[in-house]
Amino acid sequence: MWMQRNAGGGCLLTILFLLCQPGIGWAQKKPLDGSAYQCWQGFTERKISADGNWFLYGVAPSEGDPELVVQSFDGRQKQLIRRGHRATFMPDSRHLLFYLKAPYAAPAAGSSARPDTVGLLALGTQQLTLIPGVKAIRHPELSGRWLAYTQTPPTLLASAQPTATSAAQPTTNSSSLVLLDTQTGQSRTFEGVTDFVFSKQGEALVMNVASGQNPALADVIWMNLNRNAIDTVARNLSQLQQLTLDAWATQLAFLAQANDPAKTLALWYYKAGAETAQIVTTPQTTGIQPGYVVGEAGGLRFSTSGNRLYFGVSRPRPAAKPMGADQPKLTLWHYQDDYLQPQQLKQLDQEAKRTYLAILHLTDRRVVQLGDIDLEDIILPNDGDSDYVLGVTTKGGRVEADWLEQPGRTAYRVAVNDGSRTLIREKLTAPFSISPKGQYALWYDSNLRHYVACQLATGLVRNISAAVSEPLFDTSYQAPGDPQPFGVAIWEENDRSVLVHTEFDIWQLDPLGKVPPANLTRGRGRTSQTILHYADINSTDNYIRSGDELILSAFNRTTKYAGFYRLRFGRAEPPAELTMGPYSYSFPGMSKAKNANRYVVSRGNVNEYNLYTTTDIRQFRKVSDLNPQQKDYNWLTTELVQWKQPDGMPNEGLLLKPENFDPQKKYPVLVWFYEKDSDGLYAYRTPSPSGAILDMPMFVSNGYLLFIPNIQYTNGEPGESACRSVLSGLDHLAQYSWVDTSRMGVQSHSWGGYQVSYLISRTNRFKAASAGAVVSNMVSAYGSLRRRSGGSRQWIYERSQSRLGATLWEKPELYIANSPIFRADKIQTPLLLVHNDGDGQVPVEQSIELYMALRRLQKPVWLLQYEGEDHVMRNLSNRRDLSRRFQTYFDHYLKGAPMPPWLRDGMPAVLKNTSSAY
């Protein structure tokens, strides 16, 4: 064991070279309780080095410090970095970079202002370098030799440490840059650096350095790393920003203030070998539209060829005029506003930073503005060298988003040479995309329910999927809105074809419409009821070549088994099964080494979730042991339950039982549901404090059965659909002697919370219910707004989750019939409502309406409202509190435990924040 210590002698970081840990002796299994949360870990990150010789993963408990594990692929070395996180392998696979997190138990005051400490670990050695006070750290994209970081000076770093007697020191942008040669270990320091950038291959480093003549100004320093030569390419600049190199390290662009009285921002350009950088674009440059200036937030980008430079232009916001004391403070809502006033206020900062794309043709120094207020989004192909780009605007289609969810999008073909525009399609809610080489625009037409391509060179538009013999959209979609397509998988090299998903298979489409569509998976997915979709595990390219080996994620609808298949693109052969079994993967669930057939896979089942390595995706080696303490607890089992509803529709759900289940006993039943969750038969469920829903492993471990039925929906009847599905499922379970039908409870949140509140207005079968963030009154909710976005909620009721399929004035009876508030007098079940005051999704007034109705009727009802929390809680103390209240609430009603004081007496305002009243 080797330790790196800090200056004070305390153990800051420990690296262990281990292959195993001592076992823990067997003990009587115990039920889960709140103390388990502190040690239960989950994965936070997972990566593999380019050569495949090393991989890493991060783990962290809900309460405590994270750990970073770095392991050799052959399993011979395993290194543990305590408090390590945000790790990355250097491109040459010789070093690992990571950040060191502040100790969990350390005082929070002032800690967010302290610069992070970064670690540099030489893989396979005990050589570790800790770098305190790092402000930014970078390396070339394709080279691991060089590393550079800016660092807060030690005096300022020390002053950032808070004390009980001194105030925080003023912040400063002053920093030094350290350039490290990782091969030799030699370093060089540059003072006064505020920004820097490496070339892609590591030939050059360009820095923004405080001017020697005036520290308030900056010089641009170009360092040739191959020759160790330094040139100053610009001097005494103000507002210097966005240093950008081309792919060949021969051209540099940046933004800085122009040398004019107006002090406007200008685009500067430098070519290697020139004497100095030159201004190439100002607001007065021909090609920039009147009223537009060079945009500060637009970003710079060279095309792959280096012949084009893309930049952003913006429209300055008019200066606010001071208003007199007698001026009204008014918000004016206009029926023709593109966005609702609350939306506009939410978007103020975003709109203030909005830029529109322009291009500088470097061969003749012409500027062409491609985007503007009428065409806000320009979509570029990969290399930026195509003759045309895709322009998309929502102008003219924004109001409809109030009831369609998505705005209508209009697409144009935009010529890069002169900016001319040709209309492609108007007002489609589906997104448009451009092929990697820029030859085609592609979209899914929800009216045709097919993919359509526009050849940008000719402007010809074609339905390219008309001959596909199976639906490209979700035929099981149970809502009035348009069913969504299963999506584009990936393009073939040089835009020759595009691969798209159906429910089970992958089809190859010709964007010219000449070659008939081909089912690449040969129908094997549909025949076996196995979803075979492209798993994007090679993110370096966004296209595939003939002969490439494609990895497909696989999920069987019947058995719920998951795994992977292999498809050799360009060969007339069916996909080959690599692995299938009773597992769950967080798809793609796999990381592949860039230069080797070595993989790291996250795989789980009901009993564990761990990391595995493989070279063939057939044989797997387990390389982690997450939560070994689980074996000391009474865990759970999961099984698939199937039944027929009264309307004849088949349905299924999950039943979770305690590991020590005894069929001779009778068990209380808790029901939880949302929409459809039976595909999670083999999912691992981590014990966790409740952010919104009850902690399933905790309740099952403590002697409950947990039933999770799917909901089969009929449009216009969301409430009755939930009743049919849930109650028929409970009828099916009632046949088993170990189900105690006299002790059943139900809980869910948001859309599930609505269904719970409707359910108890139609049945008295439950002894207790809890509903979070409910919509109790669809009439009042229809015209409400989402607090988080400021947007409308009408689309939810007409086309989406509420599934009513009509406006309030077209079919008011549907809104009333599906609102539990209108049947509040029929509710007999005790109801625990949870709705936080900061909920940005569902108005808290919806729960208050139901609470007020039941309170007036003197029905047992409680409302938990956590301050400052959103739709799902994040604060750990609040989540622990909700978990405890869930447990004591259901234990009282379903197990006969004494009524806790908070249920019996409430919590008077005078005791708020002084007593939990458990």
Side-chain angles (χ1 to χ4, degrees):
M1 183 172 71
W2 177 77
M3 297 183 181
Q4 172 75 35
R5 297 181 180 272
N6 61 10
C11 181
L12 179 66
L13 179 149
T14 305
I15 301 180
L16 305 173
F17 289 77
L18 299 172
L19 293 179
C20 61
Q21 293 182 347
I24 301 174
W26 182 89
Q28 181 69 35
K29 292 196 173 183
K30 54 191 176 183
L32 287 163
D33 59 22
S35 64
Y37 296 143
Q38 300 177 8
C39 58
W40 225 274
Q41 292 183 320
F43 288 114
T44 58
E45 54 192 300
R46 178 199 67 212
K47 292 183 176 72
I48 187 167
S49 61
D51 63 6
N53 290 330
W54 296 89
F55 64 90
L56 67 85
Y57 60 93
V59 295
S62 59
E63 304 176 49
D65 293 321
E67 294 179 343
L68 188 66
V69 179
V70 186
Q71 190 166 335
S72 60
F73 197 87
D74 60 15
R76 295 179 180 178
Q77 296 184 40
K78 182 176 179 180
Q79 305 171 339
L80 174 67
I81 304 174
R82 303 187 188 280
R83 295 192 283 113
H85 72 132
R86 293 170 55 194
T88 183
F89 289 106
M90 296 279 282
D92 61 359
S93 304
R94 296 176 59 195
H95 290 85
L96 174 77
L97 278 175
F98 63 90
Y99 282 83
L100 203 62
K101 202 167 189 178
Y104 178 82
S111 60
S112 62
R114 297 172 184 166
D116 264 328
T117 294
V118 170
L120 177 66
L121 175 67
L123 295 168
T125 75
Q126 298 182 9
Q127 183 181 344
L128 173 69
T129 304
L130 294 180
I131 312 167
V134 171
K135 300 173 72 173
I137 187 164
R138 296 172 192 144
H139 59 77
E141 180 182 342
L142 300 178
S143 171
R145 177 177 179 181
W146 299 102
L147 180 69
Y149 54 90
T150 50
Q151 191 174 25
T152 303
T155 54
L156 293 174
L157 186 63
S159 70
Q161 309 300 320
T163 66
T165 58
S166 63
Q169 299 296 314
T171 59
T172 177
N173 289 325
S174 175
S175 59
S176 56
L177 179 140
V178 178
L179 175 64
L180 174 66
D181 185 336
T182 64
Q183 293 182 5
T184 65
Q186 296 179 342
S187 64
R188 182 172 179 178
T189 301
F190 301 85
E191 299 298 336
V193 177
T194 56
D195 193 17
F196 61 100
V197 62
F198 278 108
S199 62
K200 193 171 185 177
Q201 298 284 351
E203 312 96 322
L205 170 68
V206 179
M207 296 172 282
N208 175 341
V209 182
S211 171
Q213 300 176 20
N214 182 351
L217 302 178
D219 297 340
V220 179
I221 305 298
W222 179 304
M223 183 175 184
N224 186 312
L225 296 173
N226 292 334
R227 295 189 290 108
N228 195 28
I230 293 178
D231 292 316
T232 301
V233 302
R235 297 181 184 276
N236 300 324
L237 300 179
S238 180
Q239 298 185 51
L240 175 59
Q241 57 191 285
Q242 296 190 37
L243 299 170
T244 304
L245 284 161
D246 71 350
W248 314 107
T250 60
Q251 300 179 99
L252 169 71
F254 55 87
L255 302 181
Q257 197 175 93
N259 300 318
D260 59 25
K263 297 184 178 180
T264 56
L265 201 63
L267 175 63
W268 294 65
Y269 171 78
Y270 172 78
K271 190 175 180 72
E275 185 174 342
T276 185
Q278 301 291 328
I279 294 176
V280 288
T281 303
T282 70
Q284 293 75 39
T285 300
T286 301
I288 295 183
Q289 298 176 18
Y292 290 82
V293 298
V294 175
E296 186 171 356
L300 305 177
R301 171 187 169 182
F302 285 95
S303 65
T304 300
S305 68
N307 293 327
R308 297 171 178 176
L309 173 59
Y310 294 93
F311 64 100
V313 295
S314 61
R315 289 164 55 92
R317 183 185 298 181
K321 296 181 180 179
M323 299 182 66
D326 59 343
Q327 293 292 326
K329 294 183 178 179
L330 171 69
T331 299
L332 174 60
W333 298 48
H334 193 285
Y335 73 101
Q336 291 181 327
D337 284 345
D338 277 353
Y339 299 103
L340 297 169
Q341 282 290 327
Q343 278 180 291
Q344 294 181 42
L345 293 172
K346 293 282 187 181
Q347 296 168 1
L348 278 178
D349 289 342
Q350 175 185 331
E351 289 301 315
K353 297 175 182 177
R354 181 180 288 279
T355 60
Y356 307 93
L357 195 66
I359 181 173
L360 171 64
H361 292 273
L362 293 168
T363 52
D364 55 12
R365 301 294 175 92
R366 282 185 307 112
V367 170
V368 177
Q369 186 170 329
L370 303 175
D372 55 30
I373 195 171
D374 295 319
L375 194 64
E376 62 270 22
D377 293 320
I378 300 295
I379 305 174
L380 297 177
N382 282 356
D383 56 16
D385 283 313
S386 61
D387 294 332
Y388 297 94
V389 295
L390 183 61
V392 179
T393 180
T394 57
K395 191 171 184 178
R398 294 165 184 162
V399 175
E400 293 92 326
D402 287 355
W403 56 89
L404 296 178
E405 182 182 8
Q406 296 294 329
R409 298 177 175 89
T410 298
Y412 292 86
R413 178 185 72 169
V414 182
V416 173
N417 186 55
D418 59 11
S420 59
R421 300 169 182 176
T422 305
L423 178 66
I424 296 176
R425 275 291 184 270
E426 285 186 285
K427 290 191 175 181
L428 288 179
T429 54
F432 294 86
S433 63
I434 193 168
S435 60
K437 282 292 184 181
Q439 297 182 63
Y440 303 96
L442 180 71
W443 65 93
Y444 176 81
D445 190 313
S446 57
N447 296 316
L448 298 173
R449 296 190 175 177
H450 279 287
Y451 286 97
V452 179
C454 173
Q455 186 179 20
L456 295 178
T458 63
L460 292 177
V461 174
R462 302 175 178 90
N463 180 338
I464 63 172
S465 63
V468 173
S469 59
E470 55 184 317
L472 295 155
F473 56 91
D474 185 0
T475 57
S476 65
Y477 184 67
Q478 297 175 335
D482 297 320
Q484 294 300 302
F486 290 102
V488 174
I490 195 167
W491 282 83
E492 185 183 359
E493 185 180 23
N494 294 321
D495 298 350
R496 281 192 289 266
S497 68
V498 61
L499 277 55
V500 301
H501 295 128
T502 59
E503 181 177 5
F504 294 103
D505 290 293
I506 300 175
W507 286 73
Q508 183 179 14
L509 307 179
D510 176 13
L512 291 175
K514 296 178 179 180
V515 179
N519 189 325
L520 294 184
T521 45
R522 304 297 191 269
R524 180 162 182 175
R526 180 166 294 278
T527 301
S528 64
Q529 290 292 288
T530 301
I531 299 170
L532 299 176
H533 284 180
Y534 174 67
D536 186 11
I537 61 172
N538 296 308
S539 57
T540 53
D541 295 326
N542 60 354
Y543 58 85
I544 56 174
R545 304 173 182 87
S546 180
D548 280 356
E549 181 180 284
L550 308 186
I551 303 301
L552 311 182
S553 63
F555 180 81
N556 186 277
R557 285 285 194 197
T558 304
T559 65
K560 314 300 182 185
Y561 281 13
F564 296 92
Y565 276 60
R566 180 186 64 223
L567 176 67
R568 298 188 188 280
F569 181 63
R571 297 189 185 181
E573 59 186 44
E577 179 183 316
L578 296 175
T579 183
M580 289 291 287
Y583 305 114
S584 60
Y585 299 87
S586 54
F587 285 122
M590 181 186 298
S591 299
K592 179 186 178 298
K594 180 180 179 180
N595 302 320
N597 286 325
R598 291 184 170 186
Y599 307 83
V600 179
V601 184
S602 301
R603 188 176 80 181
N605 56 32
V606 174
N607 296 311
E608 66 168 359
Y609 192 75
N610 272 299
L611 212 64
Y612 297 78
T613 58
T614 178
T615 57
D616 58 6
I617 320 181
R618 293 179 184 272
Q619 302 296 321
F620 296 84
R621 182 170 65 91
K622 185 177 174 180
V623 293
S624 69
D625 186 19
L626 211 59
N627 301 310
Q629 77 280 5
Q630 179 181 301
K631 67 179 179 294
D632 299 325
Y633 289 96
N634 183 35
W635 195 238
L636 58 86
T637 64
T638 307
E639 60 190 61
L640 189 66
V641 181
Q642 297 176 319
W643 70 96
K644 245 183 196 179
Q645 298 186 172
D647 58 4
M649 181 173 287
N651 203 356
E652 62 185 20
L654 302 179
L655 182 63
L656 279 60
K657 296 177 179 177
E659 183 182 0
N660 64 353
F661 174 77
D662 182 352
Q664 304 304 314
K665 295 182 178 180
K666 277 189 174 293
Y667 290 85
V669 179
L670 273 173
V671 181
W672 182 91
F673 55 88
Y674 192 79
E675 290 199 356
K676 292 179 172 62
D677 291 276
S678 63
D679 285 351
L681 175 63
Y682 298 109
Y684 181 79
R685 302 175 190 276
T686 302
S688 177
S690 299
I693 67 174
L694 53 79
D695 180 3
M696 297 182 187
M698 184 75 68
F699 275 93
V700 176
S701 180
N702 282 273
Y704 287 87
L705 303 180
L706 187 72
F707 180 46
I708 309 175
N710 285 355
I711 309 300
Q712 304 292 347
Y713 292 101
T714 299
N715 287 339
E717 302 178 358
E720 286 301 309
S721 297
C723 285
R724 284 192 295 269
S725 298
V726 174
L727 297 181
S728 64
L730 290 175
D731 290 340
H732 174 79
L733 289 183
Q735 66 180 300
Y736 299 107
S737 61
W738 33 266
V739 172
D740 191 340
T741 57
S742 68
R743 295 188 293 157
M744 294 196 299
V746 61
Q747 191 273 333
S748 196
H749 179 79
S750 192
W751 175 242
Y754 154 73
Q755 294 172 102
V756 167
S757 62
Y758 184 91
L759 190 62
I760 62 173
S761 76
R762 302 292 290 176
T763 181
N764 296 325
R765 190 176 296 194
F766 299 101
K767 288 198 68 175
S770 179
V774 305
V775 170
S776 64
N777 184 350
M778 291 193 179
V779 175
S780 60
Y782 178 76
S784 64
L785 303 180
R786 285 194 156 185
R787 176 175 176 175
R788 185 180 302 161
S789 66
S792 167
R793 292 173 52 85
Q794 291 176 341
W795 58 272
I796 298 174
Y797 303 94
E798 294 182 33
R799 296 172 57 83
S800 185
Q801 210 162 39
S802 294
R803 299 171 167 87
L804 298 183
T807 66
L808 176 59
W809 46 92
E810 289 171 336
K811 293 188 177 180
E813 67 278 7
L814 290 183
Y815 287 77
I816 294 171
N818 285 283
S819 297
I821 191 73
F822 295 105
R823 293 182 57 83
D825 59 325
K826 305 296 191 294
I827 295 176
Q828 302 299 324
T829 307
L831 177 62
L832 175 63
L833 294 166
V834 184
H835 209 144
N836 305 319
D837 64 358
D839 194 319
Q841 298 290 90
V842 180
V844 67
E845 290 78 13
Q846 285 295 308
S847 287
I848 293 174
E849 282 191 43
L850 186 57
Y851 169 84
M852 293 297 293
L854 295 176
R855 170 186 162 91
R856 175 169 178 170
L857 292 164
Q858 280 298 285
K859 305 293 180 70
V861 62
W862 302 262
L863 172 59
L864 302 179
Q865 191 174 80
Y866 292 90
E867 296 179 3
E869 292 282 11
D870 205 328
H871 195 58
V872 176
M873 293 195 297
R874 300 177 64 90
N875 180 275
L876 191 57
S877 297
N878 291 337
R879 293 170 58 202
R880 283 197 300 255
D881 181 84
L882 179 59
S883 293
R884 186 166 181 180
R885 296 189 195 279
F886 275 155
Q887 185 174 13
T888 56
Y889 174 71
F890 284 114
D891 280 356
H892 169 67
Y893 280 106
L894 303 188
K895 285 188 170 183
M899 178 176 277
W902 68 272
L903 271 182
R904 183 185 64 240
D905 305 322
M907 186 187 298
V910 294
L911 297 179
K912 186 176 179 180
N913 301 326
T914 64
S915 171
S916 60
Y918 290 134

